[in-house]
Structures are given as C-alpha cells and as structure tokens.
Amino acid sequence: MCIGQVGNLLPHVTLSANLAQHLMPAWGLSAAEGGLMASGYAFGYMLAVPLLTTLTDRIDARLVLLWGSIASGLATVAFGIFAQGFWSGAAIWSLAGLGFAGAYMPGLKALTDRLPAGDTSRAVTLYTSSFSVGVGLSFLAAQLIADRWGWRTAFVVTGLGPVAMVVACLFLLREQQPAPKAGRLLNFVPVFANREALGYIFGYGAHCFELYGIRTWLVGFWTFVVARQSAPSWLTPVLLSFCFAVISMPASILGNEAALKFGRHRAITVVMLASACVAIIIGFNASAPAWVVALLLMIYGLTVPADSGALTAGMSAAAVSEHRGATLALHSTVGFGLSALGAWGTGVALDAAGGPQSARGWLLVFIVLAAGILLGPLALLWARMARWEKQPS
C-alpha cells in the first residue's frame, strides 16, 4: 500500500514543480493566478472527498481506491496534452485532485480495515509519512523531465505513476463487508459531536495550509534565492525540493513516536510552534547567503511534516468505528480545503508585497504560513477543554 501510494503521488506536485519556471512565464500568469491554479488540485479533492470517503463505510474502500487512482492518472496525462492556459489548466488539475480524493483517505481506510484490531498508530504513520517520499519523487521527476523534454512530457510521464496503486489494489484481499448501513450517506452529525476528533481535524487543516503553501512556492522561492546569492552549482531547485520532501518521512515518523512518548497534544503543539518560528526566521533571512537559507529550509522541512502522522493517527484513534469513513472524509475535506487556501493565499501575499522577485514578497509569504500553522495549537486546546469539561469536579 505504501509503494502504491508513492506511485499515486508521482503527479502530486508536478504543477507546483513547474509553476514558477515554466507555466507562469508561458501563460503570463501572476503569482495569485498561479497559486489559484495550483489550489485547483486541493479544491477538486475537497469537493469529492466527503462523498468518496464516506462511501467506504458502505462498500469496500479498495474499489474507491482503484477508480480514484485511475482518474487521477488520466487527468494528469490530460493536463500535459490539453492544458492551454489558466482556465483549462485549473479545470483539468481540479479533476486530478478529484481523482486523488478517491485515492488517499480511501487508501488509508482500505489499509486500516485489513489490519488486526488494536493500536494502528505506527501503521497509519508509515502510510501517511510515505506521502513525503511520493512528493519528493514527484518534485524530482517533474523537474528533471521538464528540463530535458518539456513540462508537457513531465505531466504525461508522472501521470503513469498511479498504475502502481492499481496493481496494489488487485492484490489486496477482499474485505468481508458487514451489512449495508441505514441512514444518510453524507451524515457528519456524529463526527461534529466528537470534539476530540474535531480538534485533530482542525489541527490537520492548519498543517495542510502550511504544507501546501510551502510546496507550491518552494521552487519559486529557491529560484529567487539563487538569483540574488551565489550558491553551489549542485544545489539546484530540483535537489533542494527533493530533499525537502523526502526528509518529511522520518520527521513524520519521529513526530508520532514523540507523541506516543510525551503525549499527542503536547508533542504536536511544540512542533507547530517551532514550525511557525522557523518560517518567520526564513522570511526575515530571504536575502541571506544561499547556504544559510538552504539550512533553514531543511530545518523547515523537518518541522512542517513532523505533526502530520500524529494528527492523522490521533484522529483515527478518536473516531467512532462505525463513523470512521465519515471522520476520515471530514479530516480530508478540512485539510485539503485549507490546502487550497494556503496555495492561493500565499500567492496573493506574494503579489501584494512585490512579487516573486521581491524579498518583501517572500517575507509576507512566510508570515502567512506561520499565521496559518499557529491556528493548530488553538484547535487542540479547544478540543482538550472539552475533555476537561467532561471530567467530574
């Protein structure tokens, strides 16, 4: 399942990896338009995930995963062949996100449905942290292929990645499904009544805002840095973005281990506060020597994802078993809804403060990212207060 997910993620940042260097110049896009087009992926995901993930409470999640993976791959290939500008690009990329809505959380549901009863925290964290390996390979493949054969070829080739998950689906054991449940399919009332799960869900939204915002503009930011400061020839946007993504996997695993040892709320809160601080430091040092900025970005590459596995594992543990699909759906809806806002909002901030060639523009981008992640500890505190209120005085 983890290998299949890496294949499913091969298209994931193909647009972001080529946005600043290829698509914006070719189509004459502003940063706000580029960010909005990139957010189309998250927007399509957000629209489809409530239906597709809650559907896994009724049918085997493997079927949703299979067709979602196929749709995601076909849409990515279609972008490379048919996209001609902002509107067509945004529309097709939204379809790719819609397909991925059937591939990520339904994949997690297909996995947890087949695990033995008990604590699944480490299995969930391994699955979610393998996300980072897929994103790293997506950055790497998308840029290398685009530099050699053009950005359209990059979309076509990365669009073949989901074939790996299709193969994984064919080898998954069939789930023994219980009798179909009565009631409405999109019934989130029980999820909204679960305040502990909601705290993790809203915290995950803050995490996604920061994560998608930096992934959208990482290549553009590093291009700005090397244009102003001399950097080693080997320290290219390709290598930097790949390393930034890949170190997320051990960071997420270690973050979950810290949550198991020191307490989930405490560990997540510390990570989020640290991430906000690093973002502010990067923003104020955007014009520093390239090696300093690269070091700060690697630290940021550790803090940004370190809360991801702990948040998703906490949500999964807090979910009521008969409503786990609906809980996963809301988790993803909030997460990718704020992902879309993060990509677009940072693009607006960049334009407002001088554009991609301005140090002030990048400072405002990182201030926006820091403000977004600081909402996470507030969400966890709100959820924890509910537990305190239930305790007898």
Side-chain angles (χ1 to χ4, degrees):
M1 286 294 290
C2 290
I3 293 171
Q5 183 182 210
V6 169
N8 252 348
L9 284 159
L10 202 59
H12 194 70
V13 292
T14 303
L15 190 147
S16 297
N18 289 287
L19 182 61
Q21 293 182 315
H22 297 289
L23 298 177
M24 287 172 62
W27 293 343
L29 303 178
S30 67
E33 289 172 326
L36 186 59
M37 185 169 65
S39 72
Y41 190 93
F43 184 70
Y45 185 105
M46 180 186 68
L47 290 180
V49 75
L51 175 63
L52 296 179
T53 308
T54 54
L55 188 62
T56 63
D57 282 333
R58 308 294 185 89
I59 66 173
D60 189 348
R62 182 177 70 101
L63 299 176
V64 180
L65 174 62
L66 174 65
W67 290 107
S69 302
I70 292 172
S72 173
L74 290 177
T76 304
V77 172
F79 190 104
I81 298 173
F82 300 112
Q84 297 295 333
F86 171 78
W87 291 108
S88 61
I92 298 173
W93 201 232
S94 296
L95 292 176
L98 187 150
F100 190 64
Y104 181 46
M105 281 298 167
L108 179 59
K109 180 69 160 49
L111 175 64
T112 55
D113 284 346
R114 288 163 174 81
L115 291 174
D119 183 18
T120 61
S121 178
R122 287 188 173 90
V124 170
T125 298
L126 183 61
Y127 178 84
T128 56
S129 60
S130 66
F131 196 107
S132 306
V133 176
V135 171
L137 290 176
S138 180
F139 268 123
L140 185 65
Q143 292 175 83
L144 291 177
I145 296 170
D147 290 344
R148 182 78 179 269
W149 293 290
W151 64 264
R152 290 190 182 276
T153 304
F155 278 91
V156 172
V157 173
T158 57
L160 300 177
V163 171
M165 184 57 93
V166 172
V167 173
C169 285
L170 297 178
F171 283 95
L172 274 181
L173 294 175
R174 292 183 179 273
E175 183 192 12
Q176 296 299 318
Q177 283 291 320
K181 298 176 182 177
R184 293 182 292 117
L185 180 62
L186 296 176
N187 182 16
F188 294 109
V189 173
V191 184
F192 282 108
N194 186 347
R195 193 156 150 182
E196 183 179 0
L198 280 180
Y200 290 115
I201 289 170
F202 293 145
Y204 181 71
H207 158 78
C208 288
F209 179 95
E210 180 188 39
L211 179 65
Y212 210 77
I214 185 59
R215 280 181 177 167
T216 298
W217 296 109
L218 179 62
V219 173
F221 175 61
W222 187 246
T223 301
F224 161 82
V225 171
V226 297
R228 293 172 65 96
Q229 302 288 341
S230 60
S233 58
W234 54 267
L235 198 53
T236 63
V238 177
L239 179 63
L240 189 93
S241 57
F242 173 74
C243 293
F244 185 94
V246 169
I247 62 176
S248 297
M249 183 173 186
S252 182
I253 292 173
L254 290 174
N256 185 65
E257 292 299 315
L260 293 174
K261 185 173 183 179
F262 301 110
R264 202 171 297 278
H265 280 222
R266 181 182 301 172
I268 293 171
T269 298
V270 169
V271 167
M272 288 179 166
L273 292 175
S275 197
C277 290
V278 176
I280 294 295
I281 293 171
I282 294 173
F284 278 105
N285 288 276
S287 298
W291 70 268
V292 174
V293 181
L295 179 60
L296 289 171
L297 283 172
M298 289 302 100
I299 297 172
Y300 199 42
L302 293 172
T303 62
V304 170
D307 52 3
S308 176
L311 284 163
T312 303
M315 173 277 303
S316 182
V320 179
S321 59
E322 58 265 30
H323 301 296
R324 182 167 285 118
T327 307
L328 289 170
L330 186 62
H331 187 74
S332 271
T333 301
V334 171
F336 276 77
L338 286 173
S339 292
L341 183 60
W344 174 69
T346 47
V348 170
L350 191 57
D351 278 343
Q357 287 76 44
S358 166
R360 289 180 61 228
W362 291 110
L363 170 60
L364 188 55
V365 165
F366 283 98
I367 289 175
V368 169
L369 293 175
I373 194 59
L374 285 175
L375 295 176
L378 295 177
L380 293 177
L381 179 61
W382 170 78
R384 197 166 190 175
M385 287 173 64
R387 186 186 303 172
W388 293 338
E389 291 168 2
K390 292 180 181 178
Q391 292 178 352
S393 56

